[in-house]
Amino acid sequence: MKQKMKQTLKQRAKPKVKQARFKGGHWLLLTALLACRSIPLSQFSPGEADAANLFSVEWATELVAPGFLEYQPMEFATPWIDAEKGQVYTYTRDGVVRAISAGSGKILWASKPMGKAFAGISGEGELIFVPGGDGILRALHRENGQEKWAVDMGEEWLTQPVLADGKLLVVSQSNALFALEAETGQKLWQHRKKQPSGFSVRGAFLPAVLGSTVYQGFADGSLVALRLADGEVLWEKNTSPTGGTRFLDLDSGAAFSADGTHMYVASYKDGLFAIRTQTGDFVWNQRLNAATYVALRGNLLLTAGGFGISAHSAEDGVRIWNTPVLTPRPFTATRRSAAGDKANSGRLPAIYARWLMVPTSGDLGFFDIVSGKPMGYWNPGQGISATPAVWGNYVYVLSNLGHLYALKMVPWSS
């Protein structure tokens, strides 16, 4: 059986293409294997991969029609899952928020345009919150998409809104964290840092809440602990201690130890840090260039960035493995597109079971988080930039073409 699988993989047969019609009269190209509800990962490396089929495509829905002479379209906003209603909410480059049935892919409602999406939406209760590309933060009713409130802060929003204790936390391009009342949109407090004088990485630290404290990273490398109730500063540390003016950003978000005594962040310039949550004291620092993501699974600290992906011991930061996101292809393999050639792991990954799923703007890479081995790559057309959303055994992927895919994951087998 293993020999037969190896022979099949080595053939690297070019998938046939079929056309599937969707509402609105547009045609979408899918692989022929969609008909049997299974898509083998393209750009598969038989020497390193453990399985040929990691998922089956349950459905695919076209959300955004191709624009006239549109060059390399990109979708940045992660879908948001409403587990109670069984719906997926998307915010796409045409500025429209849509509610979609998680089971069938049917579009249930669509909002008016709100400016190009740069950050995903979130929700609580009967409301969803949209960081509009037009600079307006909105609350919409989940049932029908009607607007409840809208606040124009004159800022470009870069993070998905985070909800905590009735408050809405969102970060702007101008290096500021805002706290608003989720029910009314009333501004409660803000914490703003001066923009660094040198070059910065586009992106922002997702507000991290632990108990009554919110932790926020900024473009100048500072990490600030703030009281959630009123924004009072509890402590502040610099995660770019080597100094300079270029790429000091702390955009990684945070991961917390199970007991809440330690947090883990990664600055773009000076790497990975373990920090005491109560005092801000550094426990250890592991040098790592261009890091933009951290996640903790047990004692395994996962990181991603321009260098690729890596895993470290949460106890002391010792590196366990490091993997380039894009594995070399054999000479006979299909050449990557221009977008694929520039692909990197700067986009935020998602985790399903034992797999780290890394959007690269080109392929979506699947990696074993224990060993770092690549499981394979998938590209439905024009690549994937948005972080996939995970719900149960399903992963929802928004492609750069504006198509939403529901992937049913195959259970892990060693």
Side-chain angles (χ1 to χ4, degrees):
M1 182 65 183
K2 290 183 178 179
Q3 184 63 29
K4 185 176 180 181
M5 178 177 285
K6 289 181 179 180
Q7 292 174 352
T8 302
L9 292 172
K10 288 179 180 179
Q11 289 174 1
R12 295 184 179 271
K14 197 170 184 178
K16 297 178 182 178
V17 174
K18 79 166 188 176
Q19 290 180 325
R21 187 156 190 138
F22 289 88
K23 187 175 180 180
H26 301 293
W27 293 87
L28 172 68
L29 295 179
L30 294 176
T31 63
L33 287 176
L34 182 58
C36 63
R37 305 177 76 78
S38 178
I39 293 184
L41 299 179
S42 62
Q43 304 162 17
F44 195 64
S45 176
E48 296 178 323
D50 296 317
N53 295 293
L54 299 182
F55 59 83
S56 61
V57 176
E58 291 289 289
W59 51 258
T61 299
E62 182 183 43
L63 304 180
V64 184
F68 180 66
L69 298 180
E70 187 175 20
Y71 176 69
Q72 288 189 353
M74 297 188 78
E75 298 287 357
F76 298 104
T78 301
W80 182 72
I81 310 295
D82 182 348
E84 182 181 343
K85 293 183 179 295
Q87 295 177 6
V88 186
Y89 296 84
T90 60
Y91 183 29
T92 46
R93 68 183 187 277
D94 59 356
V96 176
V97 175
R98 295 173 178 85
I100 301 152
S101 168
S104 67
K106 179 182 178 182
I107 298 175
L108 305 175
W109 57 256
S111 74
K112 65 181 182 181
M114 303 177 187
K116 186 175 181 179
F118 294 106
I121 64 177
S122 59
E124 184 175 77
E126 292 304 312
L127 298 177
I128 57 173
F129 305 98
V130 185
D134 56 5
I136 300 175
L137 186 64
R138 295 177 174 87
L140 307 181
H141 290 282
R142 269 201 258 182
E143 197 64 37
N144 53 23
Q146 295 300 307
E147 185 177 288
K148 179 173 183 179
W149 56 255
V151 178
D152 188 353
M153 295 288 197
E155 310 266 353
E156 181 182 336
W157 307 109
L158 286 185
T159 65
Q160 177 186 36
V162 171
L163 289 135
D165 194 26
K167 297 175 179 61
L168 203 61
L169 304 169
V170 63
V171 179
S172 74
Q173 173 65 21
S174 60
N175 218 22
L177 167 66
F178 290 87
L180 302 91
E181 188 176 84
E183 186 64 25
T184 65
Q186 177 185 352
K187 180 181 171 182
L188 300 174
W189 53 264
Q190 74 175 60
H191 187 86
R192 187 182 297 274
K193 301 289 290 184
K194 185 179 178 180
Q195 288 280 17
S197 58
F199 292 104
S200 293
V201 179
R202 179 175 174 82
F205 187 104
L206 184 70
V209 178
L210 181 66
S212 60
T213 305
V214 54
Y215 300 88
Q216 185 62 45
F218 293 93
D220 63 354
S222 60
L223 175 65
V224 185
L226 305 148
R227 193 158 61 194
L228 179 60
D230 55 14
E232 180 182 343
V233 176
L234 304 176
W235 55 255
E236 180 173 343
K237 296 292 180 179
N238 178 18
T239 64
S240 294
T242 58
T245 60
R246 294 166 55 89
F247 306 122
L248 307 175
D249 308 65
L250 179 58
D251 292 342
S252 66
F256 295 98
S257 62
D259 60 7
T261 59
H262 293 75
M263 65 183 299
Y264 307 91
V265 300
S267 77
Y268 198 84
K269 188 172 187 291
D270 284 344
L272 193 59
F273 291 84
I275 300 172
R276 291 190 174 90
T277 54
Q278 288 295 317
T279 63
D281 294 335
F282 293 159
V283 179
W284 52 256
N285 170 220
Q286 178 69 244
R287 293 304 300 272
L288 191 67
N289 291 326
T292 57
Y293 166 88
V294 295
L296 186 65
R297 286 297 181 271
N299 192 47
L300 199 64
L301 193 60
L302 303 170
T303 64
F307 60 89
I309 56 176
S310 63
H312 302 256
S313 166
E315 183 178 351
D316 52 18
V318 171
R319 190 171 68 185
I320 298 170
W321 54 256
N322 182 79
T323 303
V325 166
L326 298 177
T327 53
R329 290 208 207 166
F331 178 77
T332 55
T334 306
R335 289 178 57 83
R336 283 192 172 87
S337 65
D341 289 336
K342 300 175 184 176
N344 60 65
S345 57
R347 307 292 175 191
L348 300 185
I351 297 176
Y352 170 79
R354 193 167 153 174
W355 302 328
L356 185 68
M357 300 172 290
V358 185
T360 67
S361 298
D363 307 330
L364 179 65
F366 292 76
F367 300 84
D368 176 9
I369 65 174
V370 174
S371 66
K373 288 184 178 180
M375 305 297 294
Y377 299 87
W378 180 61
N379 190 334
Q382 292 297 314
I384 296 165
S385 300
T387 304
V390 179
W391 182 38
N393 292 325
Y394 287 84
V395 174
Y396 296 88
V397 179
L398 180 63
S399 77
N400 284 334
L401 280 177
H403 298 146
L404 182 66
Y405 295 84
L407 311 183
K408 185 176 182 180
M409 305 304 294
V410 174
W412 173 267
S413 60
S414 58

